[in-house]
Structure formats: C-alpha cells, structure tokens
Amino acid sequence: MRQIFHIVTKAKNFDRVIGKAKLIDGGNGRCICEMKVEEEHENRGQTLHGGMTATLVDNISTIALMSYNDGTPPGVSVNMNISYLKAAPSNTTIVIDARTLRVGKRLAYLSVDVTNKETSELIAQGQHTKFIGS
Amino acid sequence: MRQIFHIVTKAKNFDRVIGKAKLIDGGNGRCICEMKVEEEHENRGQTLHGGMTATLVDNISTIALMSYNDGTPPGVSVNMNISYLKAAPSNTTIVIDARTLRVGKRLAYLSVDVTNKETSELIAQGQHTKFIGS
Amino acid sequence: MRQIFHIVTKAKNFDRVIGKAKLIDGGNGRCICEMKVEEEHENRGQTLHGGMTATLVDNISTIALMSYNDGTPPGVSVNMNISYLKAAPSNTTIVIDARTLRVGKRLAYLSVDVTNKETSELIAQGQHTKFIGS
Amino acid sequence: MRQIFHIVTKAKNFDRVIGKAKLIDGGNGRCICEMKVEEEHENRGQTLHGGMTATLVDNISTIALMSYNDGTPPGVSVNMNISYLKAAPSNTTIVIDARTLRVGKRLAYLSVDVTNKETSELIAQGQHTKFIGS
C-alpha cells in the first residue's frame, strides 16, 4: 500500500493534487490518510475546496480498494456522492478514512469519512461506486 | 461572468486546476465551458480524472449560480452527486454545461452535463446543492 | 409499454404504490407519466412523500429502460440520488419524465424530472443507475 | 420515540408502507428498526423494492432526527442518496440503523445502514439531508 500511495501522490497527472496527503494506516480494503489544508487545497473562502474533497474521496477509496483481498484492480467510477457537513478552514488537519463496503463481481462499494483530526467532527462523507478492473 | 471566470481560473488556490477551461457562453443562471483533456486532468488510465470532473461540476455550477438573477452570492456546498457515464480519453474536448434549477431562500439546486464535444455523448452528469451566501 | 405499465401498476407487491400513475407517453428509452398527489402518497406535512418520489423515480425510469432499443431487460439498482427542490402539496398533478441517458454493457444510466404539471416547476430530480438484466 | 414510531407506522398516508417495521432501539439522534421482507415490500424479482428501501431510509432517519437533542423538528428533504449493495430476498429480516451525523442551523445530515440481520451484510446505505423544521 505504501508503494501504491507513493506512485499516486508523486504523479504528474491529476493525482498530484493529493500529493501532500500522508498515509497513516490501511490494508485489507481500508486506507487512512491525513492532510493539512493549505492554500493549494482551498476555495476562495479559504476552506477545503469541494472538488479537492471529492478528489480525496475518489483517490483514497481507490487505494483502499486496491488493498482489498490481497489486491483488487480498480476500474472506472460509476457514481460518487458527497455530503459536505462542515467547512475545514486553512491549516486544519483532516483525516480521510476510506473503507471497502462490498466487492461484488462487477462493482465495488466504498465509503469515506473526512473528519477534523483535532475535534473528530465530520467534514464530509462520501459514497463511491466503482467498476472492478480486469 | 467573464470577469468572475477570469478570477476563478487564475487563482493560486484549488480553483487553479480548472485554469484551462474556456468560457463559451452563459448568464442568467447558466454557464457553458469547454476544456481539452490533458495530462494534468487525467487519472492513471489517461482519461479525465473523476476528481477533476467533480471540480468542474462544483466550480462551473457555482459560476452559473453567481450569474442568476443579476448576481446570487454562492455559499458552501451541501451535496454533490456525480454519475460517470463514459470515460473521456486524452485530448477529448469536453463541454461543461451548468444550469441553475432552483434558487430558494437558503439553497440553490444546480445541474451539470459534461459531454464529449465531438460526439455529444454524456461523459458525466452532476447534481449540486449549495447554500446561498449572504 | 402500455402492457408493462399495466402489469407494474396492478401489482400486489410494492409496485402497487404507483397504481394511480397514468402513462402519458414514452418508448425508445423514455417514459412520461402523470399522477395526482392524494393522501396515500403524502407525508405528515400533506405533501408528496420523499419515499413515494423515490419509488416513482425507481419504477418509471425502469419502465423507460425496458422500452430502450426495442426492449432492454432491467436488473437491480446500483445507486439512486434524488434532489428535492420543492414540495408538491395535496391535489397537485405531477409529471414524471424518465429518460435513458446511456446503456452500457453492464449498467444503464437514467434521469428523471418530476415537475408540477400546472406551473412546470421542478419538484424533484433523480439519477438512477441500474444493472442490466440477462 | 415509541410514540412517534407508533403514529408514523399507523398512518393512512404513505408512512403506512413502513407499518411492519419494529422499533428495536434508539434515542439521542439514533433509531434502529427491524423488518421482515414480505410481498408488500418487494419488486417483481421478489426482493426488497428500491423504493421501499428509500422510504425506510427517509422515515427511519427522520425519526432518528426527531430524537436528537431531546427533540429536533424535521423539515422537508433536500437530498437522498442510496447505494444498493446486495438484494434482500423474501423473508429476510433486515435491520435499519439510522444515525444523525450533524445538526446545523438549517440542515440535518443523516446516515442509514440497512443490513441483513442474520449475516450482517450491508444491503443498502443511505445519506439523507433534511431541512430542520420550525
């Protein structure tokens, strides 16, 4: 998982935007990361950008899936739904905790909680459905 | 709208990632843009990244809302749901068409179609609910 | 389509709750119905119940899919997202307009607008992703 | 909560469809129910109907909210998203576990897990955003 994480976060493609996320724990369908909200992650209101939140939900849950059952190849996304519960201002350290809920024949169902590390309050909650690759 | 668009796309914050989108038309609650999919927008499969799609849905619908009724101040996001219908490979020109469906007292409801410019096929469809600012 | 519609709306199973919907038009992946909101469809606030709206989105889009390409067998639902834009009070006649956006190898993507027939205002908008049956 | 539950499940309006759900536990923003899947809850495939699942997500999370902080008045729904992970065949006993994630000034955020009582497998997961009443 550390290797996958390294490749994703050092990319030149859009994956680069999560480059400052740090892998904390994971494996067996789960991936937990931390990230400090900095200017590059923010909207004009100087809080975590909703598109950045969505990108974290997408990528960290994909890494979680890749660790499921000793390696599950991810395919393209089918659906992503994100509830934004509370803003995360500049310098907040956020925890992104992605879980694999189910892996069927064709689809994987993933769930992600984004919380404020200090207060444990939920910032966002995401549901992500993906095809499984081949 | 051209001014808003300029400010958003030239930002140093996360809005910068839509910097290559071009404003095509808009006003009165609508905003239509185009963008060519390049490496910086892609996932490892070399198609438009789901997080980039989400960021386009978020930002372009927010700009659409800002043009509603001669200027509606946007607030934070409440919910965003995105269906990913078809991949957009490298060099595809995509059209992002955001519409304001309803502006109530507290919330605005927005809808976004992302299509392949050449084939007119849907790539993604987003629903975005936002607070209205004050 | 009239036959499918008849079978669905006369059922003893949960499909029965849409029994008062009337087929207006459809075919080729689309299905348009009308229904007057009565007590049996309402919540305690005497407006269309969110669960009833969800059931209309589910069923009418499934009938739309069944008419796609001279008959597409529907499978189980993968995801359904509904935005509730405005309440529909007792006796409102609503129009349910379901469209097939895409039919891939495994999944079908459907979209449903629920509007107030008199005012044309949007009451709800649904996105529905389904497996295709076999 | 027992009283609220009784009123909801004995209604003549659409709430009646959850009449066979039994309250197991709850209070302080949470509500846990059980229900055996019978013909009246099923689709033509003789599994729990997606619209019935949506109605359970809607109603049980609303009852959970009503118990939050010694009584929070629920308003209308803003958004509901449901992932359908696995079918629940006839006679399955399902557990519906609804939690209040956050109650802000205007909106409440709720989450619902629907599981198979015997196997503990997830059948569906719902996210529900509601206005708070007044």
Side-chain angles (χ1 to χ4, degrees):
Chain A
M1 177 169 264
R2 206 157 289 278
Q3 219 171 338
I4 297 168
F5 199 79
H6 186 78
I7 292 166
V8 170
T9 54
K10 300 307 167 224
K12 287 173 75 179
N13 60 30
F14 196 68
D15 288 334
R16 77 189 177 282
V17 303
I18 68 153
K20 290 200 176 153
K22 284 172 206 154
L23 180 62
I24 299 300
D25 202 359
N28 206 16
R30 193 160 180 188
C31 183
I32 304 171
C33 299
E34 279 184 18
M35 194 191 82
K36 198 172 117 183
V37 178
E38 298 181 9
E39 187 185 13
E40 65 180 278
H41 312 120
E42 297 172 12
N43 53 34
R44 273 169 309 141
Q46 287 168 292
T47 63
L48 182 63
H49 192 294
M52 180 66 201
T53 309
T55 305
L56 287 165
V57 167
D58 185 349
N59 278 12
I60 308 301
S61 65
T62 300
I63 296 170
L65 175 61
M66 290 168 81
S67 78
Y68 182 81
N69 210 8
D70 293 325
T72 302
V76 297
S77 291
V78 170
N79 190 269
M80 192 157 64
N81 186 67
I82 298 169
S83 287
Y84 296 94
L85 286 84
K86 213 170 163 60
S90 268
N91 295 313
T92 307
T93 297
I94 59 172
V95 178
I96 307 103
D97 184 350
R99 259 169 279 209
T100 304
L101 300 179
R102 179 168 192 254
V103 176
K105 266 190 218 170
R106 306 286 180 199
L107 299 181
Y109 298 81
L110 308 146
S111 175
V112 182
D113 285 356
V114 181
T115 50
N116 181 317
K117 191 187 179 185
E118 206 188 335
T119 65
S120 294
E121 286 183 306
L122 267 172
I123 288 161
Q125 199 179 61
Q127 291 179 310
H128 187 197
T129 313
K130 279 183 94 72
F131 271 108
I132 296 166
S134 54
Chain B
M1 176 169 265
R2 205 155 289 278
Q3 221 170 337
I4 297 168
F5 199 80
H6 185 78
I7 293 167
V8 170
T9 54
K10 299 308 167 222
K12 290 173 71 180
N13 60 33
F14 196 69
D15 289 334
R16 76 189 177 284
V17 303
I18 69 154
K20 289 200 176 153
K22 283 174 206 152
L23 178 63
I24 298 301
D25 201 359
N28 208 15
R30 194 162 180 186
C31 182
I32 303 170
C33 298
E34 279 184 19
M35 195 191 81
K36 200 173 116 182
V37 177
E38 298 181 9
E39 187 185 13
E40 63 179 282
H41 312 120
E42 296 172 13
N43 53 35
R44 273 168 311 141
Q46 286 168 295
T47 64
L48 182 62
H49 190 294
M52 181 66 200
T53 309
T55 305
L56 287 165
V57 167
D58 185 348
N59 277 11
I60 309 301
S61 65
T62 299
I63 296 170
L65 174 61
M66 289 168 84
S67 78
Y68 183 81
N69 210 7
D70 293 325
T72 300
V76 296
S77 291
V78 169
N79 190 270
M80 192 155 65
N81 185 68
I82 298 169
S83 288
Y84 296 93
L85 287 84
K86 213 171 162 60
S90 269
N91 294 313
T92 308
T93 297
I94 59 172
V95 178
I96 307 104
D97 184 349
R99 260 169 277 208
T100 305
L101 300 179
R102 181 167 190 253
V103 177
K105 268 190 214 169
R106 307 285 179 201
L107 299 181
Y109 297 82
L110 308 146
S111 174
V112 182
D113 285 356
V114 180
T115 50
N116 181 318
K117 190 187 179 186
E118 206 187 336
T119 65
S120 295
E121 287 182 305
L122 266 172
I123 289 161
Q125 200 179 58
Q127 291 179 310
H128 186 198
T129 313
K130 278 182 95 70
F131 272 108
I132 296 167
S134 55
Chain C
M1 177 170 264
R2 204 156 291 278
Q3 220 169 337
I4 298 168
F5 199 80
H6 185 78
I7 293 165
V8 170
T9 56
K10 300 306 168 223
K12 289 173 74 182
N13 60 31
F14 196 68
D15 288 335
R16 76 190 178 283
V17 303
I18 69 153
K20 289 199 175 154
K22 284 172 204 152
L23 179 62
I24 298 301
D25 202 359
N28 207 16
R30 192 161 180 186
C31 182
I32 304 171
C33 298
E34 279 184 18
M35 195 191 81
K36 199 173 116 184
V37 177
E38 298 180 10
E39 186 185 13
E40 64 180 279
H41 312 120
E42 296 172 14
N43 54 33
R44 271 167 312 140
Q46 286 168 293
T47 63
L48 182 62
H49 191 294
M52 180 66 200
T53 309
T55 305
L56 287 165
V57 167
D58 185 349
N59 278 11
I60 308 301
S61 65
T62 299
I63 296 170
L65 174 61
M66 289 168 82
S67 78
Y68 183 82
N69 209 6
D70 293 325
T72 301
V76 297
S77 290
V78 169
N79 190 270
M80 192 157 64
N81 185 69
I82 299 170
S83 288
Y84 296 94
L85 287 83
K86 215 172 161 57
S90 269
N91 295 313
T92 307
T93 298
I94 60 172
V95 178
I96 307 102
D97 184 350
R99 260 169 277 208
T100 304
L101 299 180
R102 180 167 192 255
V103 177
K105 268 190 215 170
R106 306 287 180 199
L107 298 181
Y109 297 82
L110 308 146
S111 174
V112 182
D113 285 355
V114 181
T115 50
N116 181 317
K117 190 188 180 186
E118 207 188 333
T119 65
S120 296
E121 286 181 306
L122 267 173
I123 288 161
Q125 199 178 61
Q127 290 179 310
H128 186 198
T129 313
K130 278 184 95 70
F131 272 108
I132 296 167
S134 55
Chain D
M1 177 169 265
R2 206 156 289 279
Q3 219 170 339
I4 297 168
F5 199 81
H6 186 79
I7 292 167
V8 169
T9 54
K10 299 307 168 222
K12 290 172 72 181
N13 60 33
F14 196 69
D15 288 334
R16 76 189 178 284
V17 304
I18 68 154
K20 289 198 176 154
K22 282 173 206 153
L23 179 62
I24 299 301
D25 201 359
N28 208 16
R30 194 160 179 187
C31 183
I32 303 170
C33 298
E34 280 184 18
M35 195 190 82
K36 198 173 117 184
V37 177
E38 298 181 9
E39 187 185 12
E40 65 180 279
H41 312 120
E42 296 171 14
N43 53 35
R44 271 167 313 140
Q46 286 167 292
T47 63
L48 182 63
H49 191 295
M52 180 66 200
T53 309
T55 305
L56 287 165
V57 167
D58 185 349
N59 278 11
I60 309 302
S61 66
T62 299
I63 295 170
L65 175 61
M66 289 168 83
S67 79
Y68 182 82
N69 209 8
D70 293 326
T72 301
V76 297
S77 291
V78 169
N79 191 270
M80 193 156 65
N81 185 68
I82 298 169
S83 288
Y84 296 93
L85 286 84
K86 214 171 163 58
S90 268
N91 295 314
T92 308
T93 298
I94 59 171
V95 178
I96 307 103
D97 184 350
R99 261 170 275 210
T100 304
L101 300 178
R102 180 166 192 254
V103 176
K105 269 190 214 169
R106 307 287 178 199
L107 299 181
Y109 297 81
L110 308 145
S111 176
V112 182
D113 284 356
V114 181
T115 50
N116 182 318
K117 190 186 178 186
E118 206 188 335
T119 65
S120 295
E121 285 183 307
L122 267 173
I123 288 161
Q125 198 178 60
Q127 291 178 310
H128 186 198
T129 314
K130 279 183 93 71
F131 271 110
I132 296 167
S134 54

